Amino acid sequence: MINNDYLKNLNIAQKEAVLHIEGPLLIVAGAGSGKTKVLTSRIANIIKKKKAFPNQILAVTFTNKAAKEMQNRVGRIMGSSAIGLSWLGTFHSICAKLLRKHASAVNLNSNFTIIDADDQIRLIKNICKGENIDIKQLSPRFILVIIDRWKNKGYYPSEVIINKKDIYEKTILPLYKIYQQKLTDLNSCDFGDLILHTVKILENHPDIKKIYSNNFKYILVDEYQDTNFIQSKWLNLLSEKNKNICCVGDDDQSIYSWRGAEIKNFLEFDQVYNNTKVIRLEQNYRSSQNILSVASNLIANNQNRVGKTLKATMEKGDLVKLNCFKNGKDEAIGISDEIEKKLKKKYSYNNITILVRAIFQTREFEERFLKIGMPYRIIGGTKFYERTEIKDCVAYLRLIHQEKDDLSFERIVNNPKRSVGDNTLKNIHELAKENNLSLEKASIKIIEQNLIKPKSKIGLNLFLNLLNKWRNDLTIKNINHIKLLQIVLDESGYSAMLKNKKDIDNENRLENIKELLSAMKEFDNLESFLEHVSLATSIDQEWDGEKINMMTMHAAKGLEFDVVFLPGWEEGLFPHQKSIEEKGQNGLEEERRLAYVGITRAKKKAIISFSMNRFYQGDWIDSMASRFIEELPEKHLEKNSFFDEDVNEVEDFDFNQDFEIEEETRSPGWIRYQKRIK
């Protein structure tokens, strides 16, 4: 029995979106505007008005969580009538269902296996081995990224047109052909195939397309701005007959181009679907007006957008705070102090979050929180000292410091690869146990007694010689611990491994290592640094009670918090230099959308900050405030005391002038920025 109250508590625009049933509909739903409520109410209305049976409605989301939430909400409105909604789910789950019915059309059996990421990597590794491809130079993960990109564009191997500017595509395409044939031979498909195969079936078999195009009288799509080409194509094919497709999304929150999302699907919706009705949901039920005004003013600088004006249902609220700090460490102290002194009395830790542009930025906050005993969690990532590349670096330093550290020896003896495999390591362990030796001493003995294969002997001997050399660097040459790690990374081949290996994650790993070098600067010697790391990693990571949240802005999409801190708004970091270099104006606009997403996560307080200087890779770097800060409306901002200092008599600097950091010195970037805002 349908609950007839589903139209109550809807504002005018929401009600219009629910009641507009016939023809294509684009709902431009601003942050916090109640889009899920609209989608579920719309489903209820279609069924109540007897426009379609539940199994004639296709409702698509991106995540299982979103699908479950929609299912539950529809269930509350419709009761038992919701049971027939058999086509409500994610893109992948619905395509898998379709594909099992028509698997033979793509040379599969209906009981095909859907392989996961680990299986994909294993399969690619085997293919690379057979084709003599060095996976140290071209990682399986990167190969799969390119293959997935092709699948998102709708290309089988025979349809791929090589981008001549990409030196890797020529190598990867033959691997794609073998990979795809292997999947067929194994009666398997990957996640990309679920949609690609389904689209190809609909394109190549008009009879099958007709069945589903006729059946789906209404199609509803959530987060449409995040769709890629193949997803958009699939929806287009299924809506061909009835044209009743309703897509909900926010072009201002399109931040996933790096994983294939195409904002033009949203911007050109009315060009693809004739007679499109556009309804804007501009009433925001999440944030205060000051927060919305700042976010709206910022995003208005983007040219490629549909456009809307968010209005708050809540009171005006606090001004958005804009803080400047002397350096990154002071920024972490300032934020922790604000939480400690002002916020924790009023807000729970669970409702406070720190949103960063890049994951390496969490390090300084983690250091500060550990020092003062403030509980925290990293959402969508690993805590700094638990990241693989950081643990590798620390293991090298520990073994240099303490030759009996067998755990560190085991971790790095073959990292990077030195032909010291499992069998060799097993023999070293046995000899160590028999003679009560450390693994390092046992390694020396196994070489002396020639109990090792020639290739492994060369690799192990090189490693042992390097260890001795590094210990001499530390104790005899008195090289400091920061320089020592740089030498280790260089001479061990670890840096080269990360730089040369074409892997989608290696850039983040290198950034994290640079941040580690910065962290080491705070300690007088290697011993004190290693002690700090030991204490940091030994703290119980699962404290009971509440915790401060830390995550990237990308990971925060769809979430909301009472208080949001947005640190590190500096040129090069945010907007990120790489994004602008690779995508130009489009990259800048996506970075601005990311800023918009970050600000609109806040319900009651938003605090933006930047630093005058960053300690980066062992050096002080002159920071300049992000261009986004200039786009924030003054009347909605509250600035900290740094903005009150008189700099009119301070000599200007050349842009690249070197300078020494002293207690009261302001950086050139800071001086230029301060003069500009005065």
Side-chain angles (χ1 to χ4, degrees), residues 287-294 310-312 314-317:
S287 308
S288 66
Q289 187 58 58
N290 276 319
I291 291 170
L292 291 182
S293 295
V294 168
L310 289 182
K311 305 178 188 73
M314 298 167 57
E315 57 192 25
K316 206 168 183 181

Side-chain angles (χ1 to χ4, degrees), residues 358-485:
I359 196 66
F360 78 84
Q361 291 174 261
T362 66
R363 198 273 307 174
E364 282 181 308
F365 295 101
E366 290 188 63
E367 297 274 18
R368 177 62 182 168
F369 291 170
L370 287 168
K371 188 175 182 178
I372 64 175
M374 187 178 287
Y376 69 93
R377 64 171 67 87
I378 305 288
I379 296 177
T382 310
K383 293 189 175 183
F384 186 79
Y385 287 113
E386 293 175 358
R387 294 167 195 167
T388 300
E389 60 280 7
I390 302 301
K391 292 177 86 169
D392 290 344
C393 291
V394 171
Y396 270 106
L397 294 173
R398 279 185 172 144
L399 189 58
I400 293 167
H401 181 67
Q402 170 57 268
E403 69 175 36
K404 292 182 179 179
D405 192 335
D406 285 353
L407 289 174
S408 292
F409 182 95
E410 194 169 19
R411 183 178 185 94
I412 58 164
V413 67
N414 201 40
N415 186 17
K417 301 289 185 192
R418 301 186 179 93
S419 301
V420 184
D422 291 342
N423 286 334
T424 303
L425 202 54
K426 184 183 175 186
N427 293 336
I428 295 171
H429 268 285
E430 287 174 356
L431 191 66
K433 191 175 179 182
E434 287 169 9
N435 296 274
N436 196 26
L437 298 171
S438 68
L439 293 183
E440 185 177 341
K441 291 291 188 188
S443 298
I444 297 169
K445 198 173 182 72
I446 210 167
I447 289 172
E448 289 173 348
Q449 296 179 1
N450 209 26
L451 302 172
I452 186 172
K453 292 178 180 177
K455 195 174 178 182
S456 300
K457 184 178 180 179
I458 294 169
L460 185 59
N461 204 42
L462 174 66
F463 177 66
L464 294 170
N465 289 337
L466 282 171
L467 278 177
N468 287 328
K469 189 263 180 187
W470 295 331
R471 285 171 184 147
N472 285 338
D473 287 343
L474 182 67
T475 56
I476 298 172
K477 293 185 179 179
N478 288 321
I479 288 173
N480 70 43
H481 51 301
I482 302 164
K483 183 64 179 173
L484 177 66
L485 179 56

Side-chain angles (χ1 to χ4, degrees), residues 612-624:
M612 298 183 294
N613 306 286
R614 288 271 171 202
F615 197 73
Y616 187 71
Q617 241 182 314
D619 294 308
W620 284 106
I621 304 297
D622 174 20
S623 300
M624 192 158 185

Side-chain angles (χ1 to χ4, degrees), residues 92 144-156 176 191-193 195-196 199 226-233 256-262 265:
H92 289 118
L144 287 166
V145 165
I146 301 300
I147 289 173
D148 194 54
R149 188 182 299 165
W150 283 330
K151 290 185 177 185
N152 289 341
K153 294 285 186 184
Y155 300 145
Y156 280 142
Y176 181 21
F191 278 95
D193 285 332
I195 303 178
L196 178 61
V199 165
D226 293 334
T227 54
N228 57 35
F229 172 83
I230 199 72
Q231 290 164 337
S232 175
K233 180 75 174 174
Y256 295 127
S257 68
W258 49 275
R259 67 184 191 197
E262 297 192 10
N265 291 343

Side-chain angles (χ1 to χ4, degrees), residues 560-602:
E560 59 182 43
F561 303 89
D562 286 340
V563 182
V564 173
F565 288 93
L566 298 148
W569 281 42
E570 297 137 30
E571 283 295 305
L573 181 54
F574 193 45
H576 203 282
Q577 190 64 30
K578 187 185 174 197
S579 186
I580 296 173
E581 285 175 357
E582 290 183 353
K583 303 175 196 170
Q585 184 65 24
N586 289 337
L588 176 61
E589 293 209 352
E590 181 156 339
E591 291 287 297
R592 192 177 281 112
R593 291 196 292 271
L594 192 56
Y596 174 84
V597 167
I599 296 169
T600 55
R601 297 313 91 197

Side-chain angles (χ1 to χ4, degrees), residues 416 485-486 488-490 492-500 510 513:
L485 179 56
Q486 291 172 323
V488 168
L489 290 167
D490 183 36
S492 69
Y494 196 93
S495 288
M497 175 184 74
L498 294 183
K499 288 174 183 174
N500 298 335
L510 287 165
I513 289 173

Side-chain angles (χ1 to χ4, degrees), residues 209-220:
K209 183 180 75 172
K210 188 177 178 182
I211 293 169
Y212 293 101
S213 185
N214 285 340
N215 180 72
F216 294 135
K217 291 189 175 180
Y218 290 91
I219 298 174
L220 298 92

